[in-house]
Amino acid sequence: MISMRTLVAACLAFSAATAWAQEAQPFKMPVLPHMRAAATVDAAAPDGGTAAEPGANTGDAQAPAAPNEPAIAVKPCDQGLPTLKTPLAFKPGELLEFDMDAMGAKAGRLTMRVQRQANGALPVLVEAQTNTLFSKVRRVRGSATSYLHPRTLRPSRYTEDAVENEQRRKVNVAFGAQDRSVKVDYQIADRPKGQYNYTWDKDGLDVAGAIYLIRQLPLKKDLPVCFDVYGIRRMWRLTATVVEREHVSLPLGEFEAWHLSGTAVRLDRPSQTRDVHVWITDDERRLPLAAVGAIDLGAVRLTLSAVTRPGEKPMEAQGKEDLKW
């Protein structure tokens, strides 16, 4: 399975250097600054490629700060998130499947499944599987689970369990509603356990559950969105705006969707930012259509390819077009 960094990159940065067919003409995203700085590797030759410069603002959230990097305060959210729409656009049993591309080549598949309520929480399970080609570059097996409040969709806990190139990584994150705390306990391989402690501003989410909360926002043109989100043992502040309603064409079908655009800033290293674009269908399903971001190896893209919802006919991509970078 692909690294949890891929999931975080896709959720934090739903855009960069990508294109898909929109109506009759291809819609191209700009090449963003952090994408130009990211390392690029030829998937057909895993040993090749060019490393990013030291201190570059790449997709690797574990990268150390550059020497003498100035401290910058992150602007707080002007307001909390708006009241969520009801009823929920999803329910237990919904399964979303995404095709993954990394470094311009097919990398595998990622799934997001809503599970049955348990102990007062609505769990969302995220799993991903790399194909044989990408496993030559990075070999990972893992999963992540977000435990959401069934009404507010705020997380109480978030867990990760992954094995990357035979090295196991485990993370358990606890969200404190009263003191707005985020307690991160982690362990990598047989190293000593570690811990981070953060706080969030007006809303604190995790990287997987944030997608489901966004689906419930009362989306309309110029709606501001701002919240703090946990990912890769770090906290980020995501500020975005609903730009407009657009027609999007995918192998899965034709959709009318709301386009959100913004930026995610790492709270403990504000010089590290991610441009954000996300498309959510403008219907009762509120499906997340695509996600693109950056990891330390380069660009990563998720594209919705199949949908299974209780009581509905399954949807699958027909392969009528081939998405290109």
Side-chain angles (χ1 to χ4, degrees):
M1 293 183 178
I2 200 163
S3 168
M4 288 299 107
R5 301 179 200 178
T6 303
L7 171 62
V8 173
C11 295
L12 288 180
F14 276 90
S15 73
T18 186
W20 59 70
Q22 179 176 324
E23 297 186 357
Q25 300 297 325
F27 175 71
K28 292 185 178 295
M29 301 290 289
V31 178
L32 303 172
H34 73 268
M35 299 303 300
R36 289 194 292 267
T40 56
V41 181
D42 186 347
D47 294 334
T50 303
E53 297 179 359
N57 188 10
T58 69
D60 187 2
Q62 300 306 318
N68 303 318
E69 181 174 301
I72 306 173
V74 180
K75 182 180 181 296
C77 295
D78 291 331
Q79 58 190 12
L81 291 169
T83 302
L84 304 183
K85 290 174 62 67
T86 56
L88 294 182
F90 52 87
K91 58 184 177 181
E94 181 192 74
L95 173 64
L96 305 179
E97 301 179 50
F98 297 85
D99 286 334
M100 296 188 297
D101 296 300
M103 303 175 293
K106 292 292 185 182
R109 295 175 69 82
L110 179 143
T111 64
M112 305 186 76
R113 186 189 302 271
V114 181
Q115 300 181 303
R116 292 184 178 181
Q117 290 190 37
N119 300 320
L122 182 64
V124 172
L125 174 65
V126 180
E127 298 179 298
Q129 177 70 51
T130 53
N131 58 26
T132 302
L133 177 62
F134 194 78
S135 292
K136 296 178 181 179
V137 181
R138 174 165 289 163
R139 184 174 57 259
V140 181
R141 304 184 305 275
S143 63
T145 303
S146 175
Y147 297 87
L148 304 175
H149 189 285
R151 291 193 304 276
T152 68
L153 300 183
R154 269 59 171 186
S156 58
R157 192 161 65 97
Y158 172 81
T159 63
E160 291 179 5
D161 191 348
V163 179
E164 181 177 334
N165 291 335
E166 313 311 321
Q167 187 178 72
R168 190 172 187 181
R169 302 167 181 260
K170 298 183 66 175
V171 180
N172 185 74
V173 184
F175 291 82
Q178 298 298 321
D179 57 0
R180 299 183 178 181
S181 64
V182 181
K183 180 182 178 183
V184 182
D185 293 299
Y186 69 92
Q187 184 171 24
I188 301 176
D190 56 356
R191 303 176 196 173
K193 294 181 179 180
Q195 184 180 100
Y196 289 117
N197 290 283
Y198 303 108
T199 58
W200 41 272
D201 182 17
K202 296 179 176 64
D203 293 282
L205 311 177
D206 66 72
V207 70
I211 297 176
Y212 288 84
L213 185 142
I214 290 174
R215 293 173 66 181
Q216 294 302 132
L217 293 178
L219 300 177
K220 61 181 180 179
K221 184 176 173 59
D222 298 327
L223 176 74
V225 177
C226 184
F227 57 82
D228 294 345
V229 57
Y230 167 84
I232 324 178
R233 303 203 301 274
R234 311 294 181 184
M235 289 297 292
W236 308 72
R237 182 156 298 152
L238 190 150
T239 303
T241 302
V242 179
V243 180
E244 58 187 342
R245 189 172 179 267
E246 300 176 353
H247 182 82
V248 176
S249 178
L250 297 177
L252 187 65
E254 306 292 324
F255 303 93
E256 299 300 322
W258 287 107
H259 173 194
L260 287 80
S261 174
T263 304
V265 181
R266 185 172 139 184
L267 294 182
D268 65 334
R269 188 188 175 191
S271 64
Q272 190 171 75
T273 64
R274 298 289 176 268
D275 296 287
V276 175
H277 293 262
V278 57
W279 282 261
I280 302 290
T281 60
D282 184 22
D283 57 23
E284 69 280 359
R285 300 168 301 176
R286 293 298 183 94
L287 300 174
L289 295 179
V292 183
I295 59 174
D296 52 321
L297 294 178
V300 175
R301 176 181 60 183
L302 303 180
T303 304
L304 188 63
S305 59
V307 178
T308 302
R309 290 164 56 91
E312 299 180 14
K313 181 179 179 180
M315 300 171 57
E316 293 186 5
Q318 300 302 310
K320 64 180 180 181
E321 59 185 305
D322 185 22
L323 303 185
K324 300 295 184 182
W325 288 101

